Amino acid sequence: MKIAIDGPAGAGKSTVAKIIADRLDLTYIDTGAMYRAIAYGLIHYDISETDSNAIVDFVREAEISLRNNRVYLNDLDVTSQIREPEVSQMTSVVSVIKEVRNMMVDKQRQIAKGSSVVMDGRDIGSVVLPDADYKFYLDANLEERARRRENELEEKGISQTFESVKEDMVQRDFSDMNRQESPLVCTEDAIKICTDHLTIDEVVQKMIEAVGDGHDL
Ligand code: CDP
């Protein structure tokens, strides 16, 4: 079984994806973490965000792996570093580059091949897994999403003011929704869930019910 989850920043995709993966015994693939690992690598190895050729070369050589809920770039554990605000910003720079996206989509399809997965990101239902058995689009209003992100960052010991979390989110959402290459869209066949007034459990419940309609669990 393949489940695709898309939506803007802070909509709760990764939280619910992990729970659904556990409940349905699926492998969770966080594609945002893969783009973030690349963005971290560019900062770490001092590759300029304006040098597209160098970025593409870097992505071609980079080994990204997701193991036991940890993210590795060339065997370096970058799980916590990739959540830093400067990495988030760099991620929207790299994710607009066509060649980068093509290579990432290939890697993601490769990982998903032959496995039962739940994958979250921006282009999963539209590009990476267009034939997914279930597609979800999670959304929430900006204030709510920024509040959630501020809490998450605080839990990780990263301090950023609410206003600046919100501003970063607005910029990243704008870039993700308006870029030329596979922008964030809600596909016609996706089940859209507005999570504004729902708890995590309620969102998971709705998703499991939708999946249960078609499968014996
Ligand atoms: O956690 P959050 O929703 O803020 O973002 P993420 O899923 O970690 O993704 C970080 C960034 O990577 C997004 O803002 C996109 O620019 C990019 N991304 C993408 O372009 N395509 C994907 N499938 C996943 C992430």
Side-chain angles (χ1 to χ4, degrees):
M1 182 185 356
K2 304 222 190 293
I3 300 180
I5 308 178
D6 291 296
K13 303 179 298 291
S14 61
T15 308
V16 297
K18 277 181 207 156
I19 300 173
I20 297 220
D22 261 4
R23 294 246 188 111
L24 304 185
D25 200 18
L26 309 172
T27 302
Y28 168 48
I29 304 166
D30 178 352
T31 64
M34 298 173 71
Y35 284 93
R36 285 173 177 275
I38 292 296
Y40 170 80
L42 299 181
I43 297 169
H44 184 73
Y45 295 106
D46 219 6
I47 298 169
S48 164
E49 63 177 71
T50 57
D51 190 346
S52 305
N53 289 336
I55 296 177
V56 170
D57 286 346
F58 176 74
V59 177
R60 191 173 296 116
E61 298 301 321
E63 291 268 348
I64 303 167
S65 56
L66 307 172
R67 281 176 265 141
N68 303 325
N69 282 327
R70 317 252 355 135
V71 186
Y72 297 85
L73 172 69
N74 299 337
D75 271 336
L76 192 70
D77 185 339
V78 295
T79 313
S80 49
Q81 292 91 321
I82 61 169
R83 301 294 158 190
E84 294 284 345
E86 91 176 302
V87 175
S88 301
Q89 278 175 343
M90 182 62 112
T91 308
S92 18
V93 176
V94 291
S95 66
V96 301
I97 304 172
K98 185 177 180 186
E99 293 86 343
V100 170
R101 298 207 71 82
N102 289 344
M103 286 188 275
M104 298 298 270
V105 169
D106 278 353
K107 278 183 210 259
Q108 289 155 6
R109 288 193 182 137
Q110 205 64 41
I111 300 174
K113 206 172 162 187
S115 310
S116 283
V117 299
V118 49
M119 194 181 260
D120 77 342
R122 302 293 186 284
D123 58 347
I124 310 306
S126 56
V127 177
V128 183
L129 301 176
D131 298 328
D133 302 283
Y134 296 94
K135 297 181 186 179
F136 295 96
Y137 186 94
L138 300 191
D139 208 349
N141 71 56
L142 175 65
E143 295 287 318
E144 177 64 28
R145 293 188 288 113
R147 236 189 325 270
R148 292 177 190 168
R149 182 49 46 91
E150 187 192 24
N151 289 341
E152 264 171 39
L153 290 173
E154 204 175 294
E155 277 168 23
K156 294 189 166 99
I158 300 171
S159 87
Q160 200 185 356
T161 65
F162 177 73
E163 282 311 315
S164 113
V165 170
K166 198 162 99 175
E167 186 48 39
D168 283 358
M169 222 172 220
V170 169
Q171 284 179 14
R172 202 145 55 85
D173 285 347
F174 184 85
S175 167
D176 289 342
M177 290 174 181
N178 294 286
R179 67 186 174 217
Q180 196 88 28
E181 294 304 320
S182 43
L184 168 64
V185 287
C186 177
T187 58
E188 261 180 31
D189 52 354
I191 299 168
K192 187 169 181 177
I193 303 177
C194 176
T195 69
D196 279 347
H197 304 292
L198 298 178
T199 63
I200 290 164
D201 280 351
E202 286 167 338
V203 177
V204 170
Q205 197 51 39
K206 275 183 185 285
M207 294 170 78
I208 299 262
E209 272 166 21
V211 173
D213 280 348
H215 280 77
D216 287 335
L217 297 174

